[in-house]
Amino acid sequence: MVRIAVFGASRGCAHAMVAQGLVTGEHEFKLLLRKPENLDFTEDQKSKLTIIQGDALDPLAVKETVVDTDAIVYSIGSAFNMSSRSMVTPGVCHDTMTILLKVLEELSEEERPKRIVVVSSTGLYDMKEVPYLLQPLYHFLLHEPHEDKKELERLVEENKVLSNWIIVRPSLLTDGKLVGKYRADIGISGYTVSRQDVGHFLLHQCIEPTTWINKKVVVTY
């Protein structure tokens, strides 16, 4: 059983991973949440989690979340304002990852997790991972969040604390159902993938297997 610290579990891919992980019962989850009362799990589900109330920008809350865990799953992102085409919380990935890595540096070897898995995005540096029809959307609408994701990936790649990292690059995310069938590889292209299936990939291919260590893997249909 792996003890997993989760950042960004209130919604999206990490939320899906935790929900699925509670069904299998294979791992323990420790979640950092600003508003635990908004977590849409049942009371029975919540009773199986360790929940830390706090902000990922608070080093003390971050330390409490990661200490004595085996792996970190990071899936933080900002809400997006469509009218202004801007992030509600600019630079949130850069800022929170900077704090997380600083906290990890200060932990002892025994306290420190041994792996970090980060949810990023496709289409950051070139468009080979993005089908032609979606490229205008990525280029014009997602420029600001993608710049933040670039900083996130840079920090993870260059960090000197955790040598075992995995960067997961999902295609355009949807709210579709869990299918359990998707493609995962380096540099592949695809249109969409559900948050549920990315959660499935995180749970089953990123926590214990070593296939994707130190790689940037695209997950798509």
Side-chain angles (χ1 to χ4, degrees), residues 146-160:
H146 277 188
E147 288 300 307
D148 195 30
K149 294 294 187 185
K150 285 181 182 179
E151 282 298 297
L152 171 67
E153 290 196 2
R154 180 187 64 79
L155 288 168
V156 172
E157 286 185 275
E158 295 179 359
N159 95 86
K160 307 300 183 184

Side-chain angles (χ1 to χ4, degrees), residues 96-148:
T96 54
M97 182 54 68
T98 298
I99 289 171
L100 174 56
L101 292 174
K102 179 64 176 175
V103 167
L104 292 172
E105 286 179 6
E106 296 172 353
L107 293 179
S108 67
E109 191 70 26
E110 293 74 25
E111 295 174 314
R112 189 184 301 151
K114 302 299 184 287
R115 178 183 300 197
I116 184 167
V117 182
V118 173
V119 179
S120 182
S121 178
T122 52
L124 299 188
Y125 296 96
D126 56 54
M127 290 293 172
K128 69 178 183 179
E129 299 169 345
V130 181
Y132 179 76
L133 292 177
L134 286 181
Q135 289 182 12
L137 170 68
Y138 276 65
H139 182 72
F140 294 107
L141 190 62
L142 300 178
H143 176 74
E144 185 185 15
H146 277 188
E147 288 300 307
D148 195 30

Side-chain angles (χ1 to χ4, degrees), residues 39-58:
L39 185 66
D40 62 344
F41 285 163
T42 66
E43 291 305 314
D44 180 62
Q45 287 175 311
K46 290 180 181 179
S47 70
K48 299 173 183 176
L49 303 170
T50 301
I51 297 177
I52 309 298
Q53 182 170 9
D55 196 297
L57 293 171
D58 177 6

Side-chain angles (χ1 to χ4, degrees), residues 9 25-26 37-38 52-53 66 69 77 88-89 100 108-109 122 139-140 153 155 167 181 183 194-195 197 218:
E26 297 176 2
E37 66 274 13
N38 292 342
I52 309 298
Q53 182 170 9
V66 300
T69 61
V88 174
T89 312
L100 174 56
S108 67
E109 191 70 26
T122 52
H139 182 72
F140 294 107
E153 290 196 2
L155 288 168
I167 292 175
K181 294 182 180 179
R183 295 180 295 135
S194 75
R195 293 173 176 86
D197 277 322
V218 175

